[in-house]
Amino acid sequence: MRDASVHNPGPAADGDIHDVIIIGGGVNGCGIAMDAAGRGLKVLLCEQGDLASATSSRSSKLIHGGLRYLEFYQFRLVGKALAEREALLRNAPHIIWPMRFRLPHRPHLRPVWMIRLGLFLYDHLARRETLPSSTGLKFDGSSPLKPEITRGFEYSDAWVDDARLVVLTAQAAAQRGAQIKTRTACVEARRTDGLWQIVLEDRLTGQRSRHRSRALVNAGGPWAGELLASVIDTPVRRPLRLVKGSHIVVPRLHDGEESYILQNEDNRIVFVIPYEQEFSLIGTTDVDYQGDPAAASISPEETNYLLHVINNHFHQPLTHADIVWSYSGVRALFDGEGGAAQAASRDYLLDVHAQHGHPPLLSVLGGKITTYRRLAEEATDQLCELLNSPARAWTRDATLPGGDFRDHQSLLADLQKLYPWLPAATAQRFTRSYGTLTHELLQGARSMDDMGRHFGADLYAREVHYLIQTEWALTADDVLWRRTKLGLQLRAGAAAMLQDFMEIRSKWRKP
Ligand SMILES: Cc1cc2nc3c(=O)[nH]c(=O)nc-3n(C[C@H](O)[C@H](O)[C@H](O)COP(=O)(O)OP(=O)(O)OC[C@H]3O[C@@H](n4cnc5c(N)ncnc54)[C@H](O)[C@@H]3O)c2cc1C
């Protein structure tokens, strides 16, 4: 039988009143937590699973304006996203870096002059500080594409480790005083006596606790509608359209650091992105979705579709047997019902319920990882206004934890000087994951013996311990699929060994 306190959590656990409670530890919830905490607001964020366990770790991982949105005349969205691309490249150079994209030209595509015009617009819709502009291309015998594809284009965008972006943003929020509670679901939110009365449930113990806040943010991503209907008890004004997108991971399809953007006969596009050195990431699809977003997985039709697009473009044939991993995420799109899923806007909407005398509710609907900082800034501007707080926007030039270095090569050289015994590939992975925080991870280590128990690939106990202590990692999946992508490389059985180790270590986690 469950403890009585589970059903009756009693008075507010934290006597103090929060300014904002945020439901959802994806990129948008964490972005708002960081911005609001930095403006001096007292913030609590609850996430029912791990940070970034839903859509924010299942994206195509691009920081992009979205070249294809130009086809739908979404110039405002593209311009806004391109401006953010520059800010994010500056603020998180360890986990976000420039990438060139090759667009093969085939007969069913728009004429060359029109694509050139689109790329010119893409180059100029926002200021580019470092990224090179687009160019035309000729493919020769060394190209991985089919021999009949001889022409194309190349343009710039950027790549992001999406799950790490979320965790580092949560760290930045916590450094500024935000309370981040993972494995904690919001199960009830009611307006009483001018405040939000919130009930949270610890998903590990079942224990419930009561909290109060002056404002509530619903950043539940694909759960945002369900949260309104069943937890927050507020009418759903803008029904969300849920659209599943899936990716497959295969052994590396081509040499070189550039990605390919393939436009299919149905006008949809599929990216082929170099991934974790040895692999290519291929996606995505757009399929209307009903059901639990956490249960989304790739269907045989989606897999066949992705293989078909690749086999239409690349000369090396790809089959089901090549697929080493797949994942699916659910987009929450706010713009209406009907029409092709790929044509629905990827922009965001901040839906505010604020009646006089009632505590405000702000719901985040839609959005892209690329625009998360801007979304968070607009959301926090509105919260500050509603809460009569004068604090100003500050995140545009705010470096994320570990991102305070000049360039990647000098950071790597510094590390190799300080830790000459660390294998070069591991040093490279650490700089791309932790940036300057690598020094914290390796503090006091003098040889590989100090890295502790080995779990396979280049994962050692020291890194796992660091992730438990500083990045809210609790399970083997948190480490293998979100804090790192070492799940792609570890032998079967190693995950179970890691899970046992973490269960013991987590007991020693800092409160
Ligand atoms: C296939 C695909 C590809 C994409 N590619 C790109 C791309 O390349 N570039 C780009 O910019 N964008 C991309 N996007 C969009 C981007 O991933 C999303 O816009 C973004 O991740 C949404 O973040 P979020 O925080 O709103 O939602 P989520 O990341 O889903 O976070 C919501 C969180 O709320 C939590 N939650 C729900 N209910 C509760 C509750 N009751 N209590 C506590 N917590 C709760 C959930 O567990 C979840 O973690 C892509 C999306 C998809 C699906």
Side-chain angles (χ1 to χ4, degrees):
M1 214 172 102
R2 291 186 107 184
D3 192 299
S5 63
V6 169
H7 296 294
N8 178 15
D14 42 1
D16 297 346
I17 296 168
H18 289 92
D19 291 314
V20 191
I21 289 186
I22 299 166
I23 309 173
V27 76
N28 289 324
C30 290
I32 297 170
M34 169 179 164
D35 197 329
R39 295 198 213 190
L41 300 183
K42 188 172 158 64
V43 175
L44 184 153
L45 178 145
C46 66
E47 163 54 51
Q48 63 187 356
D50 181 24
L51 294 170
S53 51
T55 322
S56 297
S57 61
R58 298 172 192 195
S59 77
S60 302
K61 307 173 198 308
L62 302 179
I63 296 295
H64 62 160
L67 185 59
R68 75 184 183 84
Y69 307 140
L70 291 179
E71 299 223 58
F72 303 110
Y73 308 108
Q74 295 187 8
F75 300 118
R76 204 182 72 90
L77 168 66
V78 175
K80 186 162 68 176
L82 288 174
E84 279 308 290
R85 190 180 64 180
E86 290 295 330
L88 296 179
L89 277 164
R90 264 196 323 272
N91 294 343
H94 43 338
I95 55 159
I96 300 179
W97 55 85
M99 193 170 260
R100 292 291 278 175
F101 286 78
R102 294 186 163 183
L103 167 64
H105 191 258
R106 292 174 63 223
H108 68 275
L109 295 189
R110 291 178 190 281
V112 165
W113 68 265
M114 206 184 273
I115 298 182
R116 249 196 215 120
L117 182 67
L119 287 170
F120 177 83
L121 259 180
Y122 202 68
D123 279 344
H124 292 92
L125 269 173
R127 200 157 64 92
R128 264 177 305 115
E129 285 162 25
T130 50
L131 298 175
S133 57
S134 58
T135 56
L137 276 185
K138 287 215 163 30
F139 296 114
D140 58 19
S142 65
S143 154
L145 300 173
K146 293 195 158 182
E148 61 269 26
I149 304 177
T150 55
R151 293 185 74 171
F153 304 89
E154 197 176 270
Y155 67 94
S156 293
D157 258 323
W159 188 90
V160 60
D161 185 330
D162 52 4
R164 292 207 55 75
L165 176 67
V166 177
V167 170
L168 295 178
T169 304
Q171 266 188 348
Q175 284 167 1
R176 289 163 179 84
Q179 223 183 317
I180 308 286
K181 285 178 169 285
T182 64
R183 269 77 189 194
T184 304
C186 175
V187 291
E188 194 182 305
R190 296 276 175 270
R191 296 173 174 94
T192 312
D193 301 331
L195 289 174
W196 281 102
Q197 310 281 340
I198 312 280
V199 180
L200 301 183
E201 182 178 284
D202 183 322
R203 282 281 155 94
L204 301 176
T205 62
Q207 204 67 37
R208 289 189 172 189
S209 55
R210 242 182 231 288
H211 306 259
R212 289 177 296 170
S213 75
R214 298 166 65 210
L216 180 64
V217 171
N218 166 10
W223 286 269
E226 188 191 308
L227 270 164
L228 286 173
S230 59
V231 173
I232 306 175
D233 196 16
T234 298
V236 181
R237 292 194 288 215
R238 301 290 298 242
L240 285 172
R241 179 174 182 180
L242 299 187
V243 175
K244 178 175 64 152
S246 300
H247 290 81
I248 54 176
V249 175
V250 300
R252 192 70 175 258
L253 265 186
H254 64 88
D255 299 329
E257 289 308 306
E258 66 285 339
S259 290
Y260 284 81
I261 168 170
L262 312 175
Q263 186 152 14
N264 194 29
E265 277 85 354
D266 63 2
N267 259 342
R268 292 201 63 268
I269 50 140
V270 168
F271 289 103
V272 180
I273 304 168
Y275 192 54
E276 300 291 312
Q277 281 75 47
E278 297 156 45
F279 302 97
S280 294
L281 175 64
I282 299 170
T284 177
T285 52
D286 288 277
V287 185
D288 277 308
Y289 186 77
Q290 272 120 25
D292 180 5
S297 64
I298 193 166
S299 68
E301 292 77 22
E302 288 175 280
T303 308
N304 290 338
Y305 177 85
L306 293 174
L307 292 177
H308 170 78
V309 176
I310 297 301
N311 289 331
N312 269 349
H313 288 84
F314 280 74
H315 62 63
Q316 180 193 324
L318 202 61
T319 69
H320 287 85
D322 295 309
I323 300 172
V324 295
W325 185 46
S326 69
Y327 64 86
S328 303
V330 178
R331 304 175 182 90
L333 307 178
F334 68 84
D335 91 338
E337 315 86 55
Q342 72 263 27
S345 175
R346 269 44 174 172
D347 209 346
Y348 57 80
L349 185 81
L350 302 176
D351 188 22
V352 179
H353 287 250
Q355 287 161 342
H356 182 69
H358 292 283
L361 165 69
L362 185 149
S363 292
V364 174
L365 309 178
K368 289 161 60 69
I369 287 180
T370 308
T371 45
Y372 92 101
R373 189 208 64 82
R374 175 83 180 264
L375 178 155
E377 190 171 88
E378 283 175 26
T380 314
D381 284 347
Q382 296 201 29
L383 290 168
C384 283
E385 200 179 314
L386 290 162
L387 298 175
N388 279 326
S389 165
R392 287 184 182 281
W394 64 280
T395 57
R396 190 168 171 77
D397 298 312
T399 305
L400 286 181
D404 51 339
F405 59 92
R406 261 183 308 118
D407 68 274
H408 185 247
Q409 281 316 319
S410 3
L411 176 64
L412 194 59
D414 284 354
L415 269 188
Q416 285 173 326
K417 210 182 291 166
L418 278 168
Y419 312 101
W421 43 268
L422 194 67
T426 307
Q428 171 89 13
R429 180 170 75 77
F430 282 178
T431 56
R432 285 295 188 203
S433 302
Y434 308 110
T436 55
L437 289 174
T438 307
H439 294 297
E440 201 175 297
L441 193 162
L442 292 175
Q443 200 177 31
R446 291 198 170 72
S447 72
M448 282 310 283
D449 287 346
D450 292 327
M451 297 299 285
R453 182 164 163 193
H454 184 220
F455 294 99
D458 64 348
L459 183 65
Y460 291 84
R462 176 176 277 262
E463 184 178 3
V464 176
H465 191 61
Y466 172 84
L467 294 174
I468 293 171
Q469 290 291 340
T470 64
E471 294 197 1
W472 297 274
L474 275 182
T475 68
D477 272 5
D478 299 353
V479 170
L480 297 179
W481 296 109
R482 286 180 287 276
R483 306 307 181 278
T484 75
K485 289 290 183 291
L486 291 173
L488 282 169
Q489 291 169 30
L490 247 60
R491 287 183 292 105
M497 196 166 81
L498 176 63
Q499 184 59 37
D500 288 347
F501 174 84
M502 290 186 73
E503 270 165 26
I504 298 162
R505 283 299 162 117
S506 297
K507 299 205 173 97
W508 302 103
R509 190 178 162 199
K510 277 189 266 179

